[in-house]
Amino acid sequence: MASNPTWCCRCVGEIRNMIKYGKTKSGAQRYICKQCRKTRVEKYIYQAYKSDMDKNIIQFTKEGLGIRSTARILEISTTTLLKRIVSIAGNIHQPSISKGKTYEVDEMCTYISNKRNFIWVVYALEKDSKNVVSFNVGKRTNKTLSRVLDTLKLSDAKKIFTDRLKNYRYLIDEKLHSVKRFGTNHIERKNLTLRTHLKRLNRRTICFSKSLVIFMAVLKIYFWI
């Protein structure tokens, strides 16, 4: 939210179109834009309305804070926070992939809902830039792996390094596939970084995700923002 209440946050260039438009029930001054009819309040009481709220949510999520910790620090409800996380992730698009690159693919195990419900995060890391270009969450099956590998095939991957999981031999062309010592060094180190930064991915934790939707949203924010 801009510091000057006469600036419209919707109009290009923060045009000074805002005029007084009565008061709220709590007595706060309201403003309305003469051009686009956007309304705003001079000073919001409810913390979730603040313009920098999404930025703070992204920062705390990437630093591994849990839902309750983030909600407590930002002074908003956990329900509002969960909705915001899903909303932020919904506006994130998978990055474009360059052709002819080399990738590393690996899976890491975690839990959803309870510790008997194992689930795997499968993702691909570009070897040069160390960027995550694709990921999927599900059981350790060919279907889950294929969602990631198909993206790499469409980008005309030069080489794909994996571990010795048998499924890869049936899903990747022999000319592209490589299993060798130190071939997946970067993605293995990324696994450690993920488990360090995101508490919900720790091996021994009570902070595992309760919802697959939230888990996917958190990974989107961490990987692609």
Side-chain angles (χ1 to χ4, degrees):
M1 173 176 164
S3 58
N4 193 328
T6 63
W7 285 353
C8 180
C9 58
R10 178 181 290 175
C11 295
V12 179
E14 294 182 329
I15 303 172
R16 297 173 183 268
N17 279 337
M18 304 296 283
I19 59 174
K20 290 185 177 180
Y21 190 60
K23 295 187 177 182
T24 64
K25 291 181 180 179
S26 60
Q29 180 65 56
R30 295 180 68 202
Y31 293 87
I32 187 170
C33 178
K34 294 184 290 184
Q35 184 171 336
C36 67
R37 311 304 293 176
K38 169 72 174 177
T39 61
R40 64 186 289 185
V41 177
E42 184 176 16
K43 184 178 181 181
Y44 289 106
I45 298 175
Y46 185 46
Q47 299 291 337
Y49 287 150
K50 289 186 175 180
S51 60
D52 61 345
M53 186 57 63
D54 284 356
K55 182 179 178 181
N56 290 333
I57 290 173
I58 291 170
Q59 181 182 358
F60 293 152
T61 299
K62 295 185 72 169
E63 289 297 327
L65 266 70
I67 297 299
R68 288 177 178 79
S69 299
T70 303
R72 190 164 51 248
I73 292 171
L74 297 178
E75 297 180 352
I76 61 176
S77 71
T78 54
T79 303
T80 299
L81 176 59
L82 291 172
K83 289 180 179 178
R84 284 292 185 92
I85 289 174
V86 173
S87 176
I88 292 169
N91 294 322
I92 301 173
H93 302 288
Q94 184 173 342
S96 56
I97 305 177
S98 303
K99 291 192 174 184
K101 297 292 185 178
T102 302
Y103 301 97
E104 299 177 19
V105 179
D106 199 16
E107 335 81 48
M108 59 189 305
C109 183
T110 184
Y111 320 97
I112 294 290
S113 184
N114 62 74
K115 288 196 173 183
R116 293 184 298 276
N117 185 22
F118 292 99
I119 202 164
W120 274 262
V121 179
V122 183
Y123 68 104
L125 190 78
E126 188 180 319
K127 204 170 183 67
D128 294 330
S129 65
K130 312 297 188 299
N131 293 329
V132 175
V133 295
S134 180
F135 79 93
N136 193 23
V137 177
K139 298 298 181 182
R140 204 178 192 184
T141 61
N142 288 351
K143 183 178 180 180
T144 304
L145 297 171
S146 294
R147 290 286 297 274
V148 175
L149 296 175
D150 288 347
T151 304
L152 304 184
K153 292 173 185 176
L154 290 173
S155 68
D156 296 329
K158 182 179 179 181
K159 207 75 175 176
I160 301 175
F161 292 94
T162 71
D163 55 20
R164 298 185 183 277
L165 183 67
K166 293 180 180 179
N167 304 56
Y168 290 121
R169 285 188 284 175
Y170 306 106
L171 298 173
I172 307 175
D173 188 275
E174 189 176 350
K175 295 179 181 179
L176 295 177
H177 190 206
S178 179
V179 179
K180 69 175 186 179
R181 191 181 182 188
F182 307 129
T184 57
N185 272 14
H186 299 113
I187 199 166
E188 293 290 354
R189 182 60 183 83
K190 184 72 172 181
N191 289 345
L192 177 59
T193 302
L194 278 170
R195 293 194 187 278
T196 303
H197 286 179
L198 300 181
K199 193 181 295 184
R200 64 186 69 235
L201 287 174
N202 286 2
R203 293 185 183 276
R204 296 178 180 272
T205 180
I206 59 173
C207 299
F208 52 86
S209 296
K210 306 300 188 294
S211 165
L212 181 59
V213 174
I214 299 299
F215 184 55
M216 292 282 287
V218 169
L219 289 179
K220 263 192 172 184
I221 292 171
Y222 186 86
F223 287 146
W224 294 336
I225 290 187

mmCIF file of all heavy atoms in Angstrom, residues 123-151:
data_model
loop_
_atom_site.group_PDB
_atom_site.id
_atom_site.type_symbol
_atom_site.label_atom_id
_atom_site.label_comp_id
_atom_site.label_asym_id
_atom_site.label_seq_id
_atom_site.Cartn_x
_atom_site.Cartn_y
_atom_site.Cartn_z
ATOM 1 N N TYR A 123 12.012 -34.567 -8.837
ATOM 2 C CA TYR A 123 12.285 -33.304 -9.510
ATOM 3 C C TYR A 123 13.551 -33.385 -10.356
ATOM 4 O O TYR A 123 14.385 -34.283 -10.175
ATOM 5 C CB TYR A 123 12.361 -32.148 -8.518
ATOM 6 C CG TYR A 123 13.531 -32.164 -7.566
ATOM 7 C CD1 TYR A 123 14.607 -31.316 -7.761
ATOM 8 C CD2 TYR A 123 13.553 -32.997 -6.449
ATOM 9 C CE1 TYR A 123 15.675 -31.290 -6.879
ATOM 10 C CE2 TYR A 123 14.610 -32.989 -5.566
ATOM 11 C CZ TYR A 123 15.673 -32.133 -5.784
ATOM 12 O OH TYR A 123 16.737 -32.110 -4.911
ATOM 13 N N ALA A 124 13.647 -32.459 -11.309
ATOM 14 C CA ALA A 124 14.784 -32.411 -12.227
ATOM 15 C C ALA A 124 15.553 -31.116 -12.023
ATOM 16 O O ALA A 124 14.959 -30.035 -11.931
ATOM 17 C CB ALA A 124 14.296 -32.510 -13.669
ATOM 18 N N LEU A 125 16.865 -31.244 -11.976
ATOM 19 C CA LEU A 125 17.754 -30.105 -11.751
ATOM 20 C C LEU A 125 18.648 -29.926 -12.978
ATOM 21 O O LEU A 125 19.256 -30.885 -13.446
ATOM 22 C CB LEU A 125 18.604 -30.370 -10.512
ATOM 23 C CG LEU A 125 19.430 -29.217 -9.947
ATOM 24 C CD1 LEU A 125 18.531 -28.284 -9.160
ATOM 25 C CD2 LEU A 125 20.537 -29.754 -9.051
ATOM 26 N N GLU A 126 18.683 -28.700 -13.501
ATOM 27 C CA GLU A 126 19.589 -28.434 -14.625
ATOM 28 C C GLU A 126 21.016 -28.388 -14.094
ATOM 29 O O GLU A 126 21.313 -27.663 -13.139
ATOM 30 C CB GLU A 126 19.237 -27.111 -15.295
ATOM 31 C CG GLU A 126 20.013 -26.885 -16.580
ATOM 32 C CD GLU A 126 19.661 -25.565 -17.240
ATOM 33 O OE1 GLU A 126 18.463 -25.211 -17.266
ATOM 34 O OE2 GLU A 126 20.604 -24.893 -17.714
ATOM 35 N N LYS A 127 21.894 -29.146 -14.698
ATOM 36 C CA LYS A 127 23.230 -29.352 -14.143
ATOM 37 C C LYS A 127 24.070 -28.074 -14.085
ATOM 38 O O LYS A 127 24.842 -27.880 -13.153
ATOM 39 C CB LYS A 127 23.962 -30.412 -14.973
ATOM 40 C CG LYS A 127 25.077 -31.126 -14.230
ATOM 41 C CD LYS A 127 25.571 -32.309 -15.033
ATOM 42 C CE LYS A 127 26.650 -33.074 -14.269
ATOM 43 N NZ LYS A 127 26.119 -33.742 -13.060
ATOM 44 N N ASP A 128 23.904 -27.203 -15.090
ATOM 45 C CA ASP A 128 24.729 -25.995 -15.140
ATOM 46 C C ASP A 128 24.211 -24.892 -14.219
ATOM 47 O O ASP A 128 24.949 -24.329 -13.411
ATOM 48 C CB ASP A 128 24.811 -25.471 -16.576
ATOM 49 C CG ASP A 128 25.546 -26.438 -17.493
ATOM 50 O OD1 ASP A 128 26.434 -27.151 -16.996
ATOM 51 O OD2 ASP A 128 25.220 -26.475 -18.697
ATOM 52 N N SER A 129 22.928 -24.569 -14.351
ATOM 53 C CA SER A 129 22.357 -23.444 -13.592
ATOM 54 C C SER A 129 21.911 -23.829 -12.185
ATOM 55 O O SER A 129 21.672 -22.969 -11.350
ATOM 56 C CB SER A 129 21.161 -22.855 -14.348
ATOM 57 O OG SER A 129 20.108 -23.799 -14.419
ATOM 58 N N LYS A 130 21.761 -25.119 -11.925
ATOM 59 C CA LYS A 130 21.274 -25.658 -10.637
ATOM 60 C C LYS A 130 19.812 -25.277 -10.360
ATOM 61 O O LYS A 130 19.361 -25.327 -9.218
ATOM 62 C CB LYS A 130 22.144 -25.175 -9.457
ATOM 63 C CG LYS A 130 23.636 -25.307 -9.662
ATOM 64 C CD LYS A 130 24.085 -26.727 -9.820
ATOM 65 C CE LYS A 130 25.595 -26.852 -9.839
ATOM 66 N NZ LYS A 130 26.246 -26.138 -10.943
ATOM 67 N N ASN A 131 19.080 -24.905 -11.400
ATOM 68 C CA ASN A 131 17.667 -24.554 -11.242
ATOM 69 C C ASN A 131 16.778 -25.782 -11.359
ATOM 70 O O ASN A 131 17.045 -26.670 -12.177
ATOM 71 C CB ASN A 131 17.243 -23.523 -12.299
ATOM 72 C CG ASN A 131 17.926 -22.190 -12.102
ATOM 73 O OD1 ASN A 131 18.243 -21.801 -10.980
ATOM 74 N ND2 ASN A 131 18.165 -21.476 -13.191
ATOM 75 N N VAL A 132 15.713 -25.808 -10.562
ATOM 76 C CA VAL A 132 14.724 -26.880 -10.660
ATOM 77 C C VAL A 132 13.787 -26.537 -11.813
ATOM 78 O O VAL A 132 13.129 -25.500 -11.803
ATOM 79 C CB VAL A 132 13.928 -27.025 -9.348
ATOM 80 C CG1 VAL A 132 12.825 -28.067 -9.505
ATOM 81 C CG2 VAL A 132 14.863 -27.412 -8.213
ATOM 82 N N VAL A 133 13.726 -27.398 -12.811
ATOM 83 C CA VAL A 133 12.930 -27.104 -14.010
ATOM 84 C C VAL A 133 11.589 -27.825 -14.011
ATOM 85 O O VAL A 133 10.665 -27.426 -14.721
ATOM 86 C CB VAL A 133 13.714 -27.470 -15.289
ATOM 87 C CG1 VAL A 133 14.948 -26.593 -15.421
ATOM 88 C CG2 VAL A 133 14.100 -28.949 -15.301
ATOM 89 N N SER A 134 11.457 -28.887 -13.225
ATOM 90 C CA SER A 134 10.194 -29.623 -13.180
ATOM 91 C C SER A 134 10.160 -30.473 -11.917
ATOM 92 O O SER A 134 11.202 -30.944 -11.448
ATOM 93 C CB SER A 134 10.061 -30.524 -14.416
ATOM 94 O OG SER A 134 8.842 -31.241 -14.393
ATOM 95 N N PHE A 135 8.964 -30.650 -11.376
ATOM 96 C CA PHE A 135 8.825 -31.541 -10.219
ATOM 97 C C PHE A 135 7.420 -32.139 -10.184
ATOM 98 O O PHE A 135 6.491 -31.633 -10.815
ATOM 99 C CB PHE A 135 9.127 -30.805 -8.909
ATOM 100 C CG PHE A 135 8.006 -29.940 -8.390
ATOM 101 C CD1 PHE A 135 7.093 -30.441 -7.474
ATOM 102 C CD2 PHE A 135 7.862 -28.630 -8.817
ATOM 103 C CE1 PHE A 135 6.057 -29.659 -6.988
ATOM 104 C CE2 PHE A 135 6.835 -27.834 -8.339
ATOM 105 C CZ PHE A 135 5.930 -28.346 -7.414
ATOM 106 N N ASN A 136 7.285 -33.230 -9.459
ATOM 107 C CA ASN A 136 5.996 -33.888 -9.287
ATOM 108 C C ASN A 136 5.996 -34.585 -7.937
ATOM 109 O O ASN A 136 7.052 -34.945 -7.404
ATOM 110 C CB ASN A 136 5.751 -34.898 -10.413
ATOM 111 C CG ASN A 136 4.311 -35.378 -10.447
ATOM 112 O OD1 ASN A 136 3.410 -34.697 -9.955
ATOM 113 N ND2 ASN A 136 4.078 -36.545 -11.015
ATOM 114 N N VAL A 137 4.818 -34.753 -7.385
ATOM 115 C CA VAL A 137 4.670 -35.395 -6.081
ATOM 116 C C VAL A 137 3.692 -36.549 -6.208
ATOM 117 O O VAL A 137 2.621 -36.405 -6.811
ATOM 118 C CB VAL A 137 4.160 -34.393 -5.021
ATOM 119 C CG1 VAL A 137 3.948 -35.095 -3.681
ATOM 120 C CG2 VAL A 137 5.126 -33.232 -4.866
ATOM 121 N N GLY A 138 4.063 -37.702 -5.675
ATOM 122 C CA GLY A 138 3.167 -38.863 -5.738
ATOM 123 C C GLY A 138 3.872 -40.112 -5.254
ATOM 124 O O GLY A 138 4.954 -40.045 -4.657
ATOM 125 N N LYS A 139 3.270 -41.247 -5.509
ATOM 126 C CA LYS A 139 3.894 -42.513 -5.160
ATOM 127 C C LYS A 139 5.076 -42.782 -6.076
ATOM 128 O O LYS A 139 5.184 -42.206 -7.164
ATOM 129 C CB LYS A 139 2.877 -43.655 -5.265
ATOM 130 C CG LYS A 139 1.693 -43.516 -4.317
ATOM 131 C CD LYS A 139 2.125 -43.529 -2.856
ATOM 132 C CE LYS A 139 0.930 -43.426 -1.923
ATOM 133 N NZ LYS A 139 1.339 -43.396 -0.498
ATOM 134 N N ARG A 140 5.940 -43.695 -5.661
ATOM 135 C CA ARG A 140 7.164 -43.960 -6.427
ATOM 136 C C ARG A 140 6.846 -44.919 -7.585
ATOM 137 O O ARG A 140 7.276 -46.072 -7.609
ATOM 138 C CB ARG A 140 8.217 -44.558 -5.507
ATOM 139 C CG ARG A 140 9.650 -44.354 -5.986
ATOM 140 C CD ARG A 140 10.587 -44.957 -4.964
ATOM 141 N NE ARG A 140 11.963 -44.575 -5.174
ATOM 142 C CZ ARG A 140 12.974 -45.039 -4.452
ATOM 143 N NH1 ARG A 140 12.746 -45.904 -3.477
ATOM 144 N NH2 ARG A 140 14.204 -44.658 -4.694
ATOM 145 N N THR A 141 6.129 -44.400 -8.570
ATOM 146 C CA THR A 141 5.684 -45.205 -9.699
ATOM 147 C C THR A 141 6.143 -44.576 -11.006
ATOM 148 O O THR A 141 6.595 -43.419 -11.041
ATOM 149 C CB THR A 141 4.145 -45.317 -9.725
ATOM 150 O OG1 THR A 141 3.583 -43.998 -9.867
ATOM 151 C CG2 THR A 141 3.622 -45.941 -8.435
ATOM 152 N N ASN A 142 5.986 -45.343 -12.096
ATOM 153 C CA ASN A 142 6.355 -44.828 -13.415
ATOM 154 C C ASN A 142 5.544 -43.594 -13.780
ATOM 155 O O ASN A 142 6.042 -42.680 -14.443
ATOM 156 C CB ASN A 142 6.134 -45.911 -14.479
ATOM 157 C CG ASN A 142 7.173 -47.020 -14.376
ATOM 158 O OD1 ASN A 142 8.141 -46.909 -13.637
ATOM 159 N ND2 ASN A 142 6.977 -48.090 -15.123
ATOM 160 N N LYS A 143 4.288 -43.551 -13.354
ATOM 161 C CA LYS A 143 3.414 -42.420 -13.679
ATOM 162 C C LYS A 143 3.951 -41.132 -13.065
ATOM 163 O O LYS A 143 3.987 -40.080 -13.715
ATOM 164 C CB LYS A 143 1.997 -42.699 -13.176
ATOM 165 C CG LYS A 143 0.995 -41.620 -13.536
ATOM 166 C CD LYS A 143 -0.402 -41.985 -13.051
ATOM 167 C CE LYS A 143 -1.398 -40.884 -13.411
ATOM 168 N NZ LYS A 143 -2.769 -41.219 -12.936
ATOM 169 N N THR A 144 4.363 -41.190 -11.815
ATOM 170 C CA THR A 144 4.907 -40.008 -11.132
ATOM 171 C C THR A 144 6.211 -39.565 -11.772
ATOM 172 O O THR A 144 6.433 -38.371 -12.005
ATOM 173 C CB THR A 144 5.128 -40.319 -9.643
ATOM 174 O OG1 THR A 144 3.901 -40.764 -9.054
ATOM 175 C CG2 THR A 144 5.608 -39.083 -8.901
ATOM 176 N N LEU A 145 7.087 -40.531 -12.079
ATOM 177 C CA LEU A 145 8.375 -40.204 -12.680
ATOM 178 C C LEU A 145 8.209 -39.640 -14.093
ATOM 179 O O LEU A 145 8.926 -38.728 -14.500
ATOM 180 C CB LEU A 145 9.258 -41.451 -12.727
ATOM 181 C CG LEU A 145 9.657 -42.068 -11.375
ATOM 182 C CD1 LEU A 145 10.342 -43.407 -11.587
ATOM 183 C CD2 LEU A 145 10.551 -41.133 -10.599
ATOM 184 N N SER A 146 7.236 -40.187 -14.828
ATOM 185 C CA SER A 146 7.050 -39.787 -16.231
ATOM 186 C C SER A 146 6.681 -38.318 -16.374
ATOM 187 O O SER A 146 7.044 -37.667 -17.356
ATOM 188 C CB SER A 146 5.972 -40.658 -16.882
ATOM 189 O OG SER A 146 6.400 -41.990 -16.973
ATOM 190 N N ARG A 147 5.921 -37.781 -15.401
ATOM 191 C CA ARG A 147 5.504 -36.380 -15.481
ATOM 192 C C ARG A 147 6.715 -35.455 -15.553
ATOM 193 O O ARG A 147 6.685 -34.420 -16.231
ATOM 194 C CB ARG A 147 4.651 -36.019 -14.261
ATOM 195 C CG ARG A 147 3.287 -36.645 -14.225
ATOM 196 C CD ARG A 147 2.352 -35.982 -15.229
ATOM 197 N NE ARG A 147 2.132 -34.596 -14.904
ATOM 198 C CZ ARG A 147 1.211 -34.150 -14.061
ATOM 199 N NH1 ARG A 147 0.413 -35.018 -13.447
ATOM 200 N NH2 ARG A 147 1.058 -32.863 -13.837
ATOM 201 N N VAL A 148 7.782 -35.814 -14.860
ATOM 202 C CA VAL A 148 9.008 -35.015 -14.864
ATOM 203 C C VAL A 148 9.855 -35.329 -16.093
ATOM 204 O O VAL A 148 10.347 -34.431 -16.784
ATOM 205 C CB VAL A 148 9.823 -35.266 -13.578
ATOM 206 C CG1 VAL A 148 11.164 -34.535 -13.636
ATOM 207 C CG2 VAL A 148 9.027 -34.821 -12.355
ATOM 208 N N LEU A 149 9.994 -36.611 -16.402
ATOM 209 C CA LEU A 149 10.862 -37.023 -17.507
ATOM 210 C C LEU A 149 10.323 -36.580 -18.859
ATOM 211 O O LEU A 149 11.099 -36.240 -19.759
ATOM 212 C CB LEU A 149 11.040 -38.546 -17.480
ATOM 213 C CG LEU A 149 11.751 -39.104 -16.241
ATOM 214 C CD1 LEU A 149 11.752 -40.615 -16.266
ATOM 215 C CD2 LEU A 149 13.176 -38.564 -16.153
ATOM 216 N N ASP A 150 9.008 -36.570 -19.019
ATOM 217 C CA ASP A 150 8.417 -36.137 -20.292
ATOM 218 C C ASP A 150 8.758 -34.681 -20.595
ATOM 219 O O ASP A 150 8.956 -34.296 -21.745
ATOM 220 C CB ASP A 150 6.887 -36.318 -20.260
ATOM 221 C CG ASP A 150 6.477 -37.777 -20.328
ATOM 222 O OD1 ASP A 150 7.351 -38.613 -20.652
ATOM 223 O OD2 ASP A 150 5.306 -38.083 -20.046
ATOM 224 N N THR A 151 8.817 -33.862 -19.544
ATOM 225 C CA THR A 151 9.197 -32.456 -19.729
ATOM 226 C C THR A 151 10.621 -32.344 -20.256
ATOM 227 O O THR A 151 10.908 -31.525 -21.137
ATOM 228 C CB THR A 151 9.092 -31.700 -18.392
ATOM 229 O OG1 THR A 151 7.773 -31.844 -17.873
ATOM 230 C CG2 THR A 151 9.396 -30.230 -18.569
#
